[in-house]
């Protein structure tokens, strides 16, 4: 969740750390701080945004670490902000993760003065103890991480010590190899301006970064970590003139979808080429069940994917919240596939579920946006969604891209099981290729959806309803609205209205209804009459030939089972404009951060 940046090189560290933290602010924005090290250690930290951080105008240090915080242990206060230091003020530590045994470790240090409520501070004091017997910071950090339980990405600097020591377990950390120095960061976003050459630390790695190079040790032995090239442009991580990252990324969806499809679809032959996928025809023919595991927006994408798999491939599919996943009885591991979907590839709950599956002998497939992520490295197979960097905390373009990849996966499974109806397959692939243009058509109506959003922004509650393929989109629409506007919003199958939620419907409850192809609209119209009879206004998203009576109606082009994805764009814009009308911090919604790397 938190963001870490570190630099050691030939240039001043302060401006690079501050710029890096600003790029990482979507990972946490409760507080921020930096530590600069040479013969002495200088620490600057406080609550608030990176732009609020009080720093000296000039500094000379060329080594340091920085941190932007999403609070876990301890409230957002100046004392709880990172970096944390030891009693001597010689060591500074930044940390992403949770030290599960920090209470026990802290109890072993009765003579040390602790200044915060965090779990992280104990690491600085433990390093201080190790340095009493050695001047080797690398060895001291290696000794400390052997005692830590839980998850961590650590960046450590110390007065009088050359460079940065970094360590990782169950929390992401990437090394950037630059021409004038080297970096650590929680993800590649802050590195793009300086270098595209990166290597990914693996669990148990401890790295030493100096001006001249990087060494990595694992269990005390030197190891090589492959240096890869990031293909994203630096401009892709900027706002490009949009007021918010979220709005920019909503508008990037046509491009993201084209990238997801490029080179993978032959609509004339009705074929899909997922050359990254090594799942054999024999394995897929014999499979009993495909289990999808994910969290949040990715969970909703899995709900959509599950229905596509069952519709096309005639195989049982299930969706489970990754945080609730377990391997139940009655499953044959050799005839089960677990598909873990995570934009970042670092979602802690999803990783946990995938590891449980692998320990049980189940084959795993990761669907992610991030090359080199833990999901990509640990799964038996990986499919990349190719959406480009997503900075907005509320996921937008990655949802549609995930569904598209899962649709291509569903066609592949159906083909290899000899279950694909050629006509159905060609039609779906044609619709997928037409999806970017249809999404652009929805984006072109931004002014209209803004007008509707402003008209209904004062609603006391919002209901999102849809059936079949409309249900996951309704759930996703409600999630977007509650994430960034803080309004009460619920999404559920339309038929569930009369089983409880109808009691909450009033004239002040706008109902946003999915009535496109693939959503059984004829049945949902009956539910719409139920809410309209109670005075609730209905904002409908329909196929072009719908002649229903709604307060507001937006139509989508004919795209068969993919039509709800176009409606989803309207729902994203609706949520954005409601939140904007209320003056919310859209890119920094309260209590949330982008990449959930703690359980």
């Amino acid at each position: 969740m938190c963001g870490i940046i570190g630099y050691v090189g030939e240039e001043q560290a302060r401006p690079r750390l501050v710029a890096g933290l600003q790029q990482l602010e979507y990972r946490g924005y409760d507080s921020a701080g930096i530590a600069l090290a040479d013969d002495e250690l200088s620490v600057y930290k406080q609550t608030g945004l990176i732009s609020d951080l009080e720093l000296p105008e000039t500094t000379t240090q060329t080594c340091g670490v920085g941190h932007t915080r999403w609070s876990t242990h301890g409230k957002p206060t100046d004392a709880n902000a990172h970096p944390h230091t030891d009693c001597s003020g010689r060591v500074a530590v930044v940390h992403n993760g949770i030290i599960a045994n920090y209470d026990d470790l802290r109890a072993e240090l009765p003579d040390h003065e602790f200044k915060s409520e965090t779990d992280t501070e104990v690491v600085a004091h433990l390093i201080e103890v190790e340095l009493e017997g050695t001047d080797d910071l690398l060895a001291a950090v290696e000794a400390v991480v052997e005692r830590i339980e839980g998850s961590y990405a650590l960046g450590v600097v110390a007065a009088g010590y050359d460079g940065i020591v970094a360590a990782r377990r169950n929390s992401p950390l990437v090394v950037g190899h630059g021409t004038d120095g080297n970096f650590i960061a929680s993800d590649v976003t802050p590195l793009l301006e300086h270098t595209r050459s990166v290597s990914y630390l693996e669990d148990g790695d401890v790295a030493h970064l100096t001006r001249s190079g990087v060494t990595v040790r694992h269990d005390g032995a030197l190891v090589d970590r492959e240096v890869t090239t990031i293909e994203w442009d630096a401009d892709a991580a900027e706002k490009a003139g949009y007021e918010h990252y979220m709005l920019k990324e909503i508008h990037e969806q046509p491009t993201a979808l084209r990238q997801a499809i490029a080179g993978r679809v032959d609509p004339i032959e009705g074929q899909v080429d997922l050359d990254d996928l090594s799942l054999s025809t024999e394995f897929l023919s014999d499979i009993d069940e495909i289990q999808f595991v994910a969290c949040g927006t990715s969970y909703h994408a899995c709900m959509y994917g599950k229905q596509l798999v069952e519709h096309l491939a005639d195989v049982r599919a299930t969706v489970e919240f990754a945080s609730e996943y377990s391997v139940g009885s009655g499953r044959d591991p050799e005839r089960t596939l677990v598909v873990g979907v995570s934009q970042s590839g670092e979602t802690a709950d999803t990783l946990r579920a995938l590891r449980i599956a692998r320990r049980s002998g189940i084959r795993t497939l990761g669907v992610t946006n991030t090359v080199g992520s833990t999901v990509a490295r640990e799964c038996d197979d990986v499919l990349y969604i190719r959406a480009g960097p997503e900075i907005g905390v509320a996921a937008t373009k990655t949802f549609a891209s995930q569904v598209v990849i899962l649709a291509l996966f569903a066609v592949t499974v159906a083909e290899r099981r000899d279950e694909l109806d050629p006509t159905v397959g060609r039609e779906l692939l044609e619709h997928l290729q037409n999806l970017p243009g249809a999404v652009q058509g929805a984006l072109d109506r931004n002014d209209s959806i803004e007008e509707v959003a402003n008209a209904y922004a004062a609603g006391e509650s919002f209901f999102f309803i849809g059936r079949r393929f409309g249900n996951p989109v309704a759930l996703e629409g409600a999630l977007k609205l509650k994430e960034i506007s803080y309004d009460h919003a619920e999404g559920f199958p339309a038929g569930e209205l009369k089983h409880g939620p109808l009691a909450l419907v009033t004239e002040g409850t706008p109902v946003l209804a999915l009535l496109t192809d693939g959503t059984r609209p004829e049945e949902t119209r009956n539910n719409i009459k139920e809410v309209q009879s109670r005075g609730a206004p209905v904002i409908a998203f329909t196929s072009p030939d719908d002649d229903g009576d709604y307060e507001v109606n937006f139509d989508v082009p004919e795209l068969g089972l993919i039509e709800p994805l176009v409606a989803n764009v309207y729902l994203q814009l609706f949520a954005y404009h409601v939140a904007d009308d209320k003056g919310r911090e859209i890119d920094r919604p309260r209590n949330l951060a982008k990449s959930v790397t703690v359980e």
Side-chain angles (χ1 to χ4, degrees), residues 63 101 160 213 354 527 539 596:
C63 176
N101 61 336
L354 289 166
N527 305 120
I539 304 169
V596 185

Side-chain angles (χ1 to χ4, degrees), residues 74-122:
K75 295 179 180 180
T77 64
D78 290 351
N80 289 337
H82 295 220
H84 289 286
T85 57
D86 63 329
C87 293
S88 69
R90 180 188 177 191
V91 177
V93 175
V94 292
H95 168 225
N96 179 19
I98 293 178
I99 308 299
N101 61 336
Y102 82 101
D103 273 335
D104 293 337
L105 294 172
R106 183 168 175 164
E108 298 175 14
L109 303 166
D111 298 331
H112 286 246
E113 179 184 357
F114 285 80
K115 300 177 181 178
S116 76
E117 304 168 288
T118 70
D119 55 335
T120 303
E121 190 181 359
V122 72

Side-chain angles (χ1 to χ4, degrees), residues 312-551:
L312 296 172
D314 191 31
V315 60
R316 182 172 71 248
T318 57
V319 186
E320 295 192 39
F321 288 109
S323 58
E324 295 294 314
Y325 179 75
S326 63
V327 178
S329 60
R331 288 191 175 92
D332 182 351
E334 294 184 358
R335 303 183 70 170
T336 303
L337 175 68
V338 168
V339 181
V341 182
S342 166
Q343 185 281 136
S344 68
E346 302 292 349
T347 309
D349 290 325
T350 305
L351 284 168
R352 172 186 167 276
L354 289 166
R355 288 163 179 163
I356 289 173
R358 292 200 73 188
R359 287 197 297 269
S360 302
I362 298 174
R363 191 176 179 91
T364 57
L365 166 65
V367 177
T368 183
N369 194 36
T370 310
V371 175
S373 62
T374 305
V375 163
R377 294 198 309 272
E378 293 192 5
C379 285
D380 297 304
D381 285 276
V382 61
L383 290 173
Y384 293 107
I385 68 173
R386 304 175 181 170
E390 185 176 67
I391 308 301
V393 171
T396 51
K397 65 178 179 177
T398 54
F399 171 75
S401 296
Q402 286 170 342
V403 173
V404 166
I405 293 302
L406 293 178
L408 298 181
F409 169 70
V411 171
T412 299
V413 174
E415 285 178 341
R416 296 186 184 178
R417 290 173 60 85
D418 198 25
E419 295 286 351
L420 184 65
D421 182 312
T423 301
V424 172
R426 280 194 294 271
E427 182 180 72
L428 175 61
L429 297 181
E430 181 181 348
H431 288 153
L432 287 173
Q433 289 211 304
N434 291 334
L435 179 60
V439 167
Q440 185 59 57
L443 294 170
D444 291 342
R445 300 190 66 185
N446 176 62
D447 290 348
S448 297
I449 199 74
E450 180 180 7
E451 183 179 343
V452 172
N454 292 342
Y456 290 99
E460 60 190 35
S461 185
F462 297 82
F463 282 179
F464 294 72
I465 60 173
R467 295 173 185 263
R468 204 181 176 209
F469 292 97
N471 182 35
V473 172
L475 293 171
E476 175 63 11
L479 177 62
K480 289 286 97 58
L481 186 63
K482 69 180 74 172
E483 280 181 315
I484 61 171
S485 76
Y486 316 147
D487 285 323
H488 174 248
E490 287 190 50
F492 39 78
E496 288 301 299
L497 263 172
K498 56 186 174 292
H499 297 287
L502 202 58
L504 301 176
V505 171
T506 69
E507 294 177 358
T509 312
V511 176
L512 292 88
L514 280 298
L515 295 154
T516 65
D517 195 4
T519 68
R520 289 162 38 197
E522 62 284 349
E523 298 174 42
T524 301
R525 290 190 193 99
N526 294 328
N527 305 120
I528 285 175
K529 293 183 184 302
E530 293 168 352
V531 299
Q532 286 178 323
S533 68
R534 289 155 177 84
V538 172
I539 304 169
F541 304 91
T542 68
S543 299
D545 58 352
D546 190 291
D547 58 359
D549 183 18
Y550 318 111
E551 281 66 31

Side-chain angles (χ1 to χ4, degrees), residues 123-147:
V123 177
H125 291 277
L126 290 171
I127 294 172
E128 177 186 12
V129 172
E130 293 295 330
L131 288 176
E132 291 174 359
T134 178
D135 289 329
D136 188 343
L137 181 61
L138 175 62
V141 173
E142 285 182 312
V144 168
V145 296
E146 286 295 320
R147 303 178 61 192

Side-chain angles (χ1 to χ4, degrees), residues 194-393:
H194 307 288
T195 181
R196 295 188 186 180
S197 297
V198 303
S199 53
Y200 297 89
L201 297 184
E202 299 185 7
D203 282 353
D205 285 354
V206 181
H208 179 203
L209 290 74
T210 66
R211 292 166 176 78
S212 57
V214 178
T215 57
V216 182
R217 299 195 341 188
H218 190 98
D219 291 335
L222 286 174
V223 293
D224 290 326
R225 296 297 177 223
E226 180 185 4
V227 178
T228 60
T229 301
I230 299 300
E231 297 180 357
W232 294 343
D233 291 327
D235 291 345
E238 302 295 337
K239 289 184 182 177
Y242 288 91
E243 186 174 355
H244 298 97
Y245 281 113
M246 181 180 179
L247 185 60
K248 171 180 177 276
E249 288 156 7
I250 290 173
H251 281 268
E252 286 177 342
Q253 286 177 104
T255 298
L257 293 169
R258 291 187 183 99
Q259 291 171 174
I261 296 167
R264 289 168 161 170
V265 173
D266 183 344
I268 297 175
E269 297 296 329
Q271 294 180 343
V272 171
D273 182 10
L274 296 179
D275 53 7
D276 299 331
L277 202 62
S278 67
L279 295 170
S280 69
T281 297
E282 180 182 8
F283 173 75
L284 291 174
S285 296
D286 292 341
I287 205 168
D288 287 333
E289 181 181 5
I290 297 175
Q291 297 177 294
F292 294 93
V293 293
C295 309
T297 289
S298 297
Y299 179 86
H300 299 150
C302 287
M303 292 177 66
Y304 210 123
K306 164 203 175 326
Q307 295 188 77
L308 287 169
V309 166
E310 291 191 332
H311 177 72
L312 296 172
D314 191 31
V315 60
R316 182 172 71 248
T318 57
V319 186
E320 295 192 39
F321 288 109
S323 58
E324 295 294 314
Y325 179 75
S326 63
V327 178
S329 60
R331 288 191 175 92
D332 182 351
E334 294 184 358
R335 303 183 70 170
T336 303
L337 175 68
V338 168
V339 181
V341 182
S342 166
Q343 185 281 136
S344 68
E346 302 292 349
T347 309
D349 290 325
T350 305
L351 284 168
R352 172 186 167 276
L354 289 166
R355 288 163 179 163
I356 289 173
R358 292 200 73 188
R359 287 197 297 269
S360 302
I362 298 174
R363 191 176 179 91
T364 57
L365 166 65
V367 177
T368 183
N369 194 36
T370 310
V371 175
S373 62
T374 305
V375 163
R377 294 198 309 272
E378 293 192 5
C379 285
D380 297 304
D381 285 276
V382 61
L383 290 173
Y384 293 107
I385 68 173
R386 304 175 181 170
E390 185 176 67
I391 308 301
V393 171

